[in-house]
Amino acid sequence: MSDTDLRDFYHRYVEALNAREFDRMDEFVHESIVMHSEPSSRAALVAQLNSIVDAVPDFHWEVQELAINDDSIAVRAINTGTPTKEWLGAAPTGKSIEIVEYAIYRVRDGKFLHMSAVHDAAALEEQLAG
């Protein structure tokens, strides 16, 4: 895929996430993937996404920076929402959060094959406590 195709692909993926269209993940993710350096599956990713929006119903992904190198995508996103259940080890307080997510992906045959992301859990706890 060209750089433009990968950018469009990633933005469509984020649109599906924000629309809670997790049933569309077969358009974006191979059945068998590597997630956080471990063998995993599309079903595990969908379960993870569902757990996020279960804990933070208004969770929103916003792409801030996107870099492409061959078949790899690197993203810095801002995630916002108001947790209603414990999430990433932090109890809900009714306060909204805004945390940075860094993610790295590898695409093969038009779908994600490797996916890895990190959040600043300490910033999350600080925002909910402060």
PDB file of all heavy atoms in Angstrom, residues 43-60:
ATOM      1  N   ALA A  43     -10.155 -11.528  17.511  1.00  0.00           N
ATOM      2  CA  ALA A  43     -11.169 -11.654  18.568  1.00  0.00           C
ATOM      3  C   ALA A  43     -10.670 -11.067  19.887  1.00  0.00           C
ATOM      4  O   ALA A  43     -11.430 -10.400  20.603  1.00  0.00           O
ATOM      5  CB  ALA A  43     -11.566 -13.110  18.742  1.00  0.00           C
ATOM      6  N   ALA A  44      -9.396 -11.266  20.198  1.00  0.00           N
ATOM      7  CA  ALA A  44      -8.831 -10.701  21.428  1.00  0.00           C
ATOM      8  C   ALA A  44      -8.795  -9.178  21.353  1.00  0.00           C
ATOM      9  O   ALA A  44      -9.065  -8.491  22.342  1.00  0.00           O
ATOM     10  CB  ALA A  44      -7.435 -11.261  21.681  1.00  0.00           C
ATOM     11  N   LEU A  45      -8.475  -8.643  20.181  1.00  0.00           N
ATOM     12  CA  LEU A  45      -8.482  -7.194  19.999  1.00  0.00           C
ATOM     13  C   LEU A  45      -9.891  -6.649  20.201  1.00  0.00           C
ATOM     14  O   LEU A  45     -10.083  -5.655  20.905  1.00  0.00           O
ATOM     15  CB  LEU A  45      -7.968  -6.813  18.613  1.00  0.00           C
ATOM     16  CG  LEU A  45      -8.127  -5.329  18.259  1.00  0.00           C
ATOM     17  CD1 LEU A  45      -7.239  -4.456  19.137  1.00  0.00           C
ATOM     18  CD2 LEU A  45      -7.867  -5.093  16.791  1.00  0.00           C
ATOM     19  N   VAL A  46     -10.876  -7.281  19.597  1.00  0.00           N
ATOM     20  CA  VAL A  46     -12.266  -6.833  19.742  1.00  0.00           C
ATOM     21  C   VAL A  46     -12.683  -6.889  21.210  1.00  0.00           C
ATOM     22  O   VAL A  46     -13.336  -5.966  21.714  1.00  0.00           O
ATOM     23  CB  VAL A  46     -13.214  -7.642  18.834  1.00  0.00           C
ATOM     24  CG1 VAL A  46     -14.677  -7.359  19.157  1.00  0.00           C
ATOM     25  CG2 VAL A  46     -12.915  -7.332  17.364  1.00  0.00           C
ATOM     26  N   ALA A  47     -12.287  -7.927  21.920  1.00  0.00           N
ATOM     27  CA  ALA A  47     -12.606  -8.027  23.349  1.00  0.00           C
ATOM     28  C   ALA A  47     -11.950  -6.872  24.109  1.00  0.00           C
ATOM     29  O   ALA A  47     -12.574  -6.274  25.004  1.00  0.00           O
ATOM     30  CB  ALA A  47     -12.142  -9.368  23.901  1.00  0.00           C
ATOM     31  N   GLN A  48     -10.706  -6.543  23.764  1.00  0.00           N
ATOM     32  CA  GLN A  48     -10.012  -5.428  24.411  1.00  0.00           C
ATOM     33  C   GLN A  48     -10.728  -4.113  24.130  1.00  0.00           C
ATOM     34  O   GLN A  48     -10.919  -3.291  25.034  1.00  0.00           O
ATOM     35  CB  GLN A  48      -8.570  -5.376  23.925  1.00  0.00           C
ATOM     36  CG  GLN A  48      -7.738  -4.288  24.570  1.00  0.00           C
ATOM     37  CD  GLN A  48      -6.324  -4.270  24.025  1.00  0.00           C
ATOM     38  OE1 GLN A  48      -6.125  -4.205  22.812  1.00  0.00           O
ATOM     39  NE2 GLN A  48      -5.348  -4.326  24.908  1.00  0.00           N
ATOM     40  N   LEU A  49     -11.137  -3.892  22.891  1.00  0.00           N
ATOM     41  CA  LEU A  49     -11.857  -2.668  22.535  1.00  0.00           C
ATOM     42  C   LEU A  49     -13.177  -2.573  23.291  1.00  0.00           C
ATOM     43  O   LEU A  49     -13.537  -1.508  23.802  1.00  0.00           O
ATOM     44  CB  LEU A  49     -12.097  -2.608  21.024  1.00  0.00           C
ATOM     45  CG  LEU A  49     -10.845  -2.465  20.164  1.00  0.00           C
ATOM     46  CD1 LEU A  49     -11.173  -2.672  18.699  1.00  0.00           C
ATOM     47  CD2 LEU A  49     -10.178  -1.116  20.392  1.00  0.00           C
ATOM     48  N   ASN A  50     -13.888  -3.691  23.375  1.00  0.00           N
ATOM     49  CA  ASN A  50     -15.149  -3.698  24.117  1.00  0.00           C
ATOM     50  C   ASN A  50     -14.930  -3.401  25.588  1.00  0.00           C
ATOM     51  O   ASN A  50     -15.742  -2.704  26.217  1.00  0.00           O
ATOM     52  CB  ASN A  50     -15.887  -5.023  23.921  1.00  0.00           C
ATOM     53  CG  ASN A  50     -16.649  -5.056  22.623  1.00  0.00           C
ATOM     54  OD1 ASN A  50     -17.359  -4.120  22.275  1.00  0.00           O
ATOM     55  ND2 ASN A  50     -16.499  -6.144  21.879  1.00  0.00           N
ATOM     56  N   SER A  51     -13.822  -3.895  26.158  1.00  0.00           N
ATOM     57  CA  SER A  51     -13.560  -3.623  27.574  1.00  0.00           C
ATOM     58  C   SER A  51     -13.243  -2.147  27.792  1.00  0.00           C
ATOM     59  O   SER A  51     -13.606  -1.574  28.828  1.00  0.00           O
ATOM     60  CB  SER A  51     -12.436  -4.518  28.107  1.00  0.00           C
ATOM     61  OG  SER A  51     -11.189  -4.111  27.620  1.00  0.00           O
ATOM     62  N   ILE A  52     -12.580  -1.512  26.828  1.00  0.00           N
ATOM     63  CA  ILE A  52     -12.294  -0.079  26.939  1.00  0.00           C
ATOM     64  C   ILE A  52     -13.585   0.721  26.974  1.00  0.00           C
ATOM     65  O   ILE A  52     -13.809   1.533  27.867  1.00  0.00           O
ATOM     66  CB  ILE A  52     -11.387   0.403  25.782  1.00  0.00           C
ATOM     67  CG1 ILE A  52      -9.987  -0.191  25.906  1.00  0.00           C
ATOM     68  CG2 ILE A  52     -11.328   1.936  25.740  1.00  0.00           C
ATOM     69  CD1 ILE A  52      -9.108   0.026  24.691  1.00  0.00           C
ATOM     70  N   VAL A  53     -14.478   0.476  26.001  1.00  0.00           N
ATOM     71  CA  VAL A  53     -15.704   1.279  25.944  1.00  0.00           C
ATOM     72  C   VAL A  53     -16.715   0.855  27.006  1.00  0.00           C
ATOM     73  O   VAL A  53     -17.626   1.618  27.326  1.00  0.00           O
ATOM     74  CB  VAL A  53     -16.333   1.304  24.527  1.00  0.00           C
ATOM     75  CG1 VAL A  53     -15.355   1.920  23.535  1.00  0.00           C
ATOM     76  CG2 VAL A  53     -16.777  -0.058  24.078  1.00  0.00           C
ATOM     77  N   ASP A  54     -16.542  -0.325  27.583  1.00  0.00           N
ATOM     78  CA  ASP A  54     -17.365  -0.704  28.723  1.00  0.00           C
ATOM     79  C   ASP A  54     -16.988   0.156  29.934  1.00  0.00           C
ATOM     80  O   ASP A  54     -17.861   0.632  30.662  1.00  0.00           O
ATOM     81  CB  ASP A  54     -17.191  -2.191  29.040  1.00  0.00           C
ATOM     82  CG  ASP A  54     -18.034  -2.632  30.223  1.00  0.00           C
ATOM     83  OD1 ASP A  54     -19.268  -2.402  30.197  1.00  0.00           O
ATOM     84  OD2 ASP A  54     -17.467  -3.191  31.183  1.00  0.00           O
ATOM     85  N   ALA A  55     -15.685   0.371  30.121  1.00  0.00           N
ATOM     86  CA  ALA A  55     -15.200   1.162  31.256  1.00  0.00           C
ATOM     87  C   ALA A  55     -15.291   2.665  30.990  1.00  0.00           C
ATOM     88  O   ALA A  55     -15.484   3.457  31.907  1.00  0.00           O
ATOM     89  CB  ALA A  55     -13.766   0.776  31.584  1.00  0.00           C
ATOM     90  N   VAL A  56     -15.127   3.048  29.724  1.00  0.00           N
ATOM     91  CA  VAL A  56     -15.135   4.466  29.343  1.00  0.00           C
ATOM     92  C   VAL A  56     -16.078   4.599  28.135  1.00  0.00           C
ATOM     93  O   VAL A  56     -15.630   4.624  26.986  1.00  0.00           O
ATOM     94  CB  VAL A  56     -13.715   4.967  28.995  1.00  0.00           C
ATOM     95  CG1 VAL A  56     -13.701   6.487  28.814  1.00  0.00           C
ATOM     96  CG2 VAL A  56     -12.696   4.537  30.033  1.00  0.00           C
ATOM     97  N   PRO A  57     -17.386   4.678  28.377  1.00  0.00           N
ATOM     98  CA  PRO A  57     -18.363   4.637  27.275  1.00  0.00           C
ATOM     99  C   PRO A  57     -18.181   5.724  26.213  1.00  0.00           C
ATOM    100  O   PRO A  57     -18.487   5.490  25.042  1.00  0.00           O
ATOM    101  CB  PRO A  57     -19.705   4.785  27.979  1.00  0.00           C
ATOM    102  CG  PRO A  57     -19.461   4.315  29.371  1.00  0.00           C
ATOM    103  CD  PRO A  57     -18.043   4.694  29.685  1.00  0.00           C
ATOM    104  N   ASP A  58     -17.664   6.883  26.593  1.00  0.00           N
ATOM    105  CA  ASP A  58     -17.479   7.964  25.620  1.00  0.00           C
ATOM    106  C   ASP A  58     -16.023   8.066  25.143  1.00  0.00           C
ATOM    107  O   ASP A  58     -15.593   9.105  24.646  1.00  0.00           O
ATOM    108  CB  ASP A  58     -17.955   9.293  26.202  1.00  0.00           C
ATOM    109  CG  ASP A  58     -17.174   9.728  27.442  1.00  0.00           C
ATOM    110  OD1 ASP A  58     -16.475   8.880  28.054  1.00  0.00           O
ATOM    111  OD2 ASP A  58     -17.279  10.913  27.815  1.00  0.00           O
ATOM    112  N   PHE A  59     -15.277   6.958  25.263  1.00  0.00           N
ATOM    113  CA  PHE A  59     -13.870   6.939  24.844  1.00  0.00           C
ATOM    114  C   PHE A  59     -13.760   7.403  23.401  1.00  0.00           C
ATOM    115  O   PHE A  59     -14.527   6.994  22.537  1.00  0.00           O
ATOM    116  CB  PHE A  59     -13.316   5.518  24.978  1.00  0.00           C
ATOM    117  CG  PHE A  59     -11.819   5.459  24.954  1.00  0.00           C
ATOM    118  CD1 PHE A  59     -11.096   5.551  26.128  1.00  0.00           C
ATOM    119  CD2 PHE A  59     -11.124   5.307  23.774  1.00  0.00           C
ATOM    120  CE1 PHE A  59      -9.703   5.485  26.128  1.00  0.00           C
ATOM    121  CE2 PHE A  59      -9.740   5.236  23.750  1.00  0.00           C
ATOM    122  CZ  PHE A  59      -9.028   5.332  24.938  1.00  0.00           C
ATOM    123  N   HIS A  60     -12.774   8.270  23.145  1.00  0.00           N
ATOM    124  CA  HIS A  60     -12.589   8.820  21.796  1.00  0.00           C
ATOM    125  C   HIS A  60     -11.105   8.821  21.455  1.00  0.00           C
ATOM    126  O   HIS A  60     -10.273   9.257  22.256  1.00  0.00           O
ATOM    127  CB  HIS A  60     -13.135  10.251  21.735  1.00  0.00           C
ATOM    128  CG  HIS A  60     -13.030  10.865  20.380  1.00  0.00           C
ATOM    129  ND1 HIS A  60     -13.919  10.588  19.368  1.00  0.00           N
ATOM    130  CD2 HIS A  60     -12.123  11.728  19.863  1.00  0.00           C
ATOM    131  CE1 HIS A  60     -13.567  11.266  18.286  1.00  0.00           C
ATOM    132  NE2 HIS A  60     -12.485  11.958  18.559  1.00  0.00           N
TER     133      HIS A  60
END
